[in-house]
Amino acid sequence: MASDNAHREKRGSLLPWVIAGALVLTCLVGWMLGAWTNRPADALPPVPFLLAFRLTALVGWPLLLSAVIFLSSASVGAAALGLMRAEGSPPLARLLFAAAIGLGISAYATLALGVAGILQAGVFWGLMAVMFLVGFRELRTVLTDLRRQARQWVSSWGRFEWGLALAGVAIVVVGILCAGTPVLDYDTLGYHLGAPGEYFAAGKVRFLPHNVYAGFPAQVEMLYLLGIVLGGSRSVGMGVAVLIQVGFGALAALAAGTIAARFVRREAALPAAVFFLSCPLFMVTVVRGHITLARCFYTALALLAVLEWLFGEKGRLARRSYLILGGLCCGLAVAVKYTAVLMLCLPLGVVVLGVCFFRNDTWRRRLVPAALFGGCALLAVLPWFVKNAAATGNPVFPLLDAVFGARGWSAEQAAKFAAAHAAPPLRSIADFPVEIWRFLTGHVGPMSKGFAGPLAVVFIPMLLLTPRSEAAGREGSPWKARIGPVAFFLCYALAVVLLWGAVTHRIARFLAPSLVVLSVLSAGGFVAAQRGRLPGGICRTLALVLAFFALFYQAAVAASAGGPAAVLAGRGLSQMARRGGFSYLRAVEWIKDPDNVPSGAGVMLVGEARTYHFERPVLYSTVFNDHPIEPALRLARDDLARAVSELKSRGVTHVLVNWSELRRLSETYRYVYEGQEQPGYLPEVDLESREPLLRLLNAAGDVAQSYGSMAWPGRDSPSRIPAIEIYDLRTGRGQR
């Protein structure tokens, strides 16, 4: 009887495997059925690899520029770490913290020079050289130690480890190959790249009263501006932006591996890094040029620093250094996006304050560490608060308008912005579990691009349900020593999910940094499972199959955006516009043609805020700002001649109207102000008749070009109209 019980204890429970198997099947079936939902019907076909020389020509220069940015930043960051006496960390952790601090320094140096109106390439090349030389000795020491440690680590790898590493490296390579693909994401073209493009054209970083999003902290956007200035053009800068996100993603993966090795098990380091890279989040963010991977990187390092402060065995001075680094990384995460205040600073701040209260018996020892952590976080984001306070009077513009107010920002605009970014009502709480499930299973939808991958999820039950005696393995390693960090990960993940559901408007990318924690937990479960009931070969085979499936899926995501195929074929923006059938791109290319729109002409965009590809100053506004055409629209109802005169007095010679976007913005962003519902965009325009906008444009000029077709609901019956029209306001030009 005793032997039977011992045998049963040795075999363990099948429950973790049943749960993991169900997750694997669900994820695989879901992704196979939805793999092409993220691929446009007119996506470009692949081309032979023989055109690789084209790839080198398009990717090589942005790759060199991004390497200069990262190396110079890491070098000056290594020097800064030396000043903070934070050299006692493992070499990889030192390199990661150096890169984090250095990239922050690079961004703020770009901001300072930009505000001063110094956006010359020569100055910035000199800045990069100085930054590299300042910390060259410290960086070389870190890289030498890292190379020695990496050789020892790699020498213990078997076929599985090499295969898993190959999958991870291949995913990064696919991301690099996308550097020549034109970015088409709305938010990126509107402000992540759009605002730096305007700064570059103006030769100065300044407040943009027509783009409220440019008032947000812009840590990553300054790095994009740095790439544009170093490259000397928007097209090169766009490739650098893509590669900056590749770099942030790779660094976030390394940070996840470092956390896993330090606080779960050493063998979990490689799986954690690859599990994170396997998430579609990586490629979706890369091809969109978005900023989410930067948030993941700073989140991972903030967690690593706080974990070292909590569970590390270093001395008091080293623990204080980690507290400083944790605060700085929290602040830099806020400098990437405000949501980090709620989803990173708040949970970690509560942890630091709570631990200080329990560990210390005097108020000074209780409050000083928490104040140090919070002060460093504030210091890291403070320049953005100063910039906004100087421009608007509100340091956190456009937030907290009821507290600070803002110059040039009305109460109605504040109400509209708040309504669009409000948390869902309580009645939507029933949808919350469904939204979490969709996030974990890589659901592709309007506000979710399928960020999570199976490897970041499926092995977590193994960590939680595998008996500790099995997880410890034959060596009898003290698994209980890892319970504290694992509990920390679980509590943090739970807190982030609850905050995301209760306080934010539940956009999936806000939750994306949690994939760092999930990847670490899943890697821990993967290692624990190999020591459990089933042979380790089954776990390793499953992990490799899912890793290479992730490679295939991520390549499909890249292909849907044009990807390496478009780069190899030399299909830039103009080729994608002609062959892809994108109405917006075709309109952009028409306006960029000097035969259509001379260099001195004035272009106004209505219903359109994706400005980056135009490569010329344009008049526009985001949906939350007052549009420059609104004064003319108010006049058009009573005095059409004065309205036309008002429009042309702004120097406008061409007006691009995106009717499709105009309708979407007006309907999607409706809001209630003073008890009355208001249209979300151009309140003077009647959506059914399109008046008085249509009458104003026809009186001012002629339709020079139109693209696309869409159904427009009229009062009598729906009619088909062009999706985009370009009006020429010069006398005798264009055709009706």
Side-chain angles (χ1 to χ4, degrees):
M1 185 71 176
S3 62
D4 290 341
N5 291 335
H7 181 65
R8 191 177 297 111
E9 175 66 19
K10 182 178 179 180
R11 294 178 59 189
S13 172
L14 281 174
L15 180 60
W17 289 100
V18 172
I19 296 175
L23 286 174
V24 170
L25 289 176
T26 303
C27 291
L28 286 179
V29 170
W31 280 316
M32 290 302 291
L33 291 176
W36 304 111
T37 61
N38 203 30
R39 179 187 177 94
D42 50 10
L44 300 171
V47 297
F49 188 72
L50 295 177
L51 296 175
F53 71 90
R54 182 72 184 180
L55 175 69
T56 304
L58 290 176
V59 175
W61 181 232
L63 184 60
L64 175 62
L65 294 176
S66 60
V68 167
I69 292 172
F70 277 98
L71 281 175
S72 298
S73 299
S75 184
V76 74
L81 284 182
L83 295 176
M84 287 188 288
R85 299 181 180 179
E87 303 96 335
S89 307
L92 181 55
R94 295 208 310 270
L95 180 62
L96 293 171
F97 281 118
I101 302 302
L103 288 167
I105 293 173
S106 295
Y108 284 130
T110 303
L111 173 64
L113 290 173
V115 169
I118 305 173
L119 291 180
Q120 287 77 36
V123 174
F124 278 86
W125 277 107
L127 174 66
M128 293 293 100
V130 170
M131 289 173 57
F132 181 75
L133 293 175
V134 163
F136 174 73
R137 181 179 300 177
E138 291 83 357
L139 180 62
R140 183 176 61 181
T141 301
V142 172
L143 293 177
T144 300
D145 294 343
L146 180 60
R147 182 176 61 181
R148 185 183 304 112
Q149 187 182 72
R151 284 179 175 176
Q152 295 175 353
W153 184 39
V154 170
S155 64
S156 64
W157 283 9
R159 286 177 294 182
F160 165 74
E161 287 78 11
W162 281 108
L164 195 62
L166 176 62
V169 170
I171 291 172
V172 174
V173 169
V174 172
I176 293 174
L177 296 182
C178 293
T181 301
V183 174
L184 303 178
D185 179 70
Y186 194 100
D187 290 352
T188 302
L189 296 180
Y191 58 99
H192 295 313
L193 272 172
E198 289 193 60
Y199 302 148
F200 179 67
K204 184 181 180 68
V205 174
R206 54 190 175 85
F207 180 71
L208 302 180
H210 49 274
N211 192 332
V212 65
Y213 296 110
F216 290 167
Q219 186 81 0
V220 177
E221 287 82 353
M222 288 299 103
L223 296 177
Y224 289 175
L225 177 59
L226 175 58
I228 296 171
V229 175
L230 290 176
S233 71
R234 294 193 187 195
S235 58
V236 173
M238 184 168 54
V240 175
V242 168
L243 291 173
I244 284 175
Q245 287 308 310
V246 172
F248 272 122
L251 290 173
L254 292 174
T258 303
I259 294 173
R262 181 70 181 87
F263 297 104
V264 180
R265 291 192 68 90
R266 184 175 181 273
E267 307 95 298
L270 178 62
V274 177
F275 288 4
F276 177 79
L277 286 174
S278 72
C279 294
L281 164 73
F282 177 80
M283 201 62 62
V284 169
T285 303
V286 165
V287 298
R288 297 169 68 200
H290 213 272
I291 62 173
T292 307
L293 289 173
R295 292 177 55 225
C296 293
F297 174 53
Y298 284 114
T299 297
L301 286 190
L303 292 172
L304 175 60
V306 172
L307 284 166
E308 287 286 1
W309 178 76
L310 279 173
F311 302 106
E313 300 174 356
K314 306 266 190 319
R316 182 177 179 181
L317 183 61
R319 292 181 67 248
R320 186 178 66 181
S321 297
Y322 279 120
L323 198 62
I324 292 173
L325 289 172
L328 290 175
C329 288
C330 280
L332 290 172
V334 176
V336 174
K337 197 168 185 67
Y338 272 137
T339 49
V341 173
L342 291 173
M343 304 181 71
L344 182 64
C345 297
L346 178 60
L348 294 190
V350 169
V351 168
V352 170
L353 186 60
V355 170
C356 287
F357 264 78
F358 281 107
R359 282 184 177 178
N360 302 296
D361 55 0
T362 65
W363 283 103
R364 181 178 180 277
R365 291 185 176 181
R366 287 173 174 175
L367 297 179
V368 168
L372 180 63
F373 179 83
C376 289
L378 177 62
L379 179 65
V381 73
L382 185 61
W384 298 112
F385 295 161
V386 173
K387 173 180 174 290
N388 276 338
T392 69
N394 181 351
V396 292
F397 176 81
L399 308 179
L400 299 182
D401 183 78
V403 177
F404 298 104
R407 294 188 296 272
W409 186 250
S410 67
E412 184 172 358
Q413 287 174 306
K416 180 180 178 181
F417 186 88
H421 297 84
L426 289 177
R427 63 177 179 272
S428 69
I429 194 171
D431 300 329
F432 182 56
V434 176
E435 292 170 345
I436 295 298
W437 176 251
R438 288 177 173 177
F439 175 80
L440 295 177
T441 55
H443 173 76
V444 177
M447 302 304 290
S448 174
K449 302 300 179 182
F451 293 135
L455 282 174
V457 178
V458 295
F459 291 110
I460 294 178
M462 305 296 186
L463 179 65
L464 303 180
L465 300 177
T466 300
R468 298 291 176 261
S469 58
E470 295 182 12
R474 297 179 181 178
E475 300 90 346
S477 58
W479 182 267
K480 64 181 180 180
R482 309 296 188 188
I483 291 179
V486 170
F488 174 88
F489 293 140
L490 292 173
C491 291
Y492 173 77
L494 179 61
V496 166
V497 167
L498 292 177
L499 288 169
W500 177 78
V503 183
T504 76
H505 46 301
R506 297 184 188 172
I507 295 179
R509 65 174 178 270
F510 293 174
L511 197 55
S514 66
L515 291 175
V516 172
V517 174
L518 295 180
S519 297
V520 170
L521 292 174
S522 189
F526 170 75
V527 173
Q530 293 185 77
R531 300 172 177 272
R533 180 174 185 269
L534 294 180
I538 294 179
C539 297
R540 292 191 290 271
T541 300
L542 177 62
L544 283 177
V545 168
L546 290 177
F548 281 95
F549 171 78
L551 173 60
F552 158 77
Y553 185 82
Q554 303 238 37
V557 171
S560 73
V567 177
L568 291 173
R571 292 174 182 166
L573 193 67
S574 59
Q575 289 86 350
M576 292 182 71
R578 289 197 298 267
R579 300 189 183 188
F582 302 112
S583 297
Y584 160 74
L585 294 182
R586 295 170 67 191
V588 169
E589 287 301 302
W590 191 90
I591 288 178
K592 288 170 65 176
D593 188 343
D595 292 336
N596 299 325
V597 183
S599 59
V603 177
M604 176 182 285
L605 308 181
V606 178
E608 187 59 75
R610 293 171 288 183
T611 62
Y612 188 75
H613 286 311
F614 286 96
E615 298 186 2
R616 67 161 69 224
V618 294
L619 292 173
Y620 78 100
S621 77
T622 70
V623 67
F624 298 108
N625 296 100
D626 294 330
H627 197 282
I629 203 174
E630 289 187 35
L633 289 175
R634 285 191 286 268
L635 291 171
R637 293 193 178 276
D638 301 320
D639 192 334
L640 191 58
R642 283 187 60 198
V644 171
S645 177
E646 162 66 24
L647 179 60
K648 292 187 176 182
S649 69
R650 295 177 176 269
V652 177
T653 61
H654 295 78
V655 178
L656 182 152
V657 185
N658 190 329
W659 294 108
S660 175
E661 276 296 296
L662 187 152
R663 178 180 170 186
R664 181 186 72 84
L665 295 173
S666 183
E667 293 176 347
T668 302
Y669 290 93
R670 287 185 176 275
Y671 64 102
V672 175
Y673 183 68
E674 294 183 346
Q676 293 187 350
E677 187 179 60
Q678 304 292 335
Y681 188 69
L682 296 183
E684 296 83 5
V685 177
D686 176 69
L687 274 186
E688 291 185 350
S689 65
R690 298 188 285 166
E691 299 295 354
L693 177 58
L694 192 61
R695 186 168 67 253
L696 170 64
L697 294 175
N698 284 325
D702 301 321
V703 177
Q705 190 58 268
S706 62
Y707 297 100
S709 177
M710 63 174 294
W712 192 275
R715 286 189 172 87
D716 300 324
S717 61
S719 59
R720 297 205 67 83
I721 66 170
I724 295 178
E725 289 182 317
I726 302 174
Y727 286 80
D728 191 332
L729 308 191
R730 297 171 298 176
T731 304
R733 296 280 297 180
Q735 57 184 11
R736 288 194 183 274

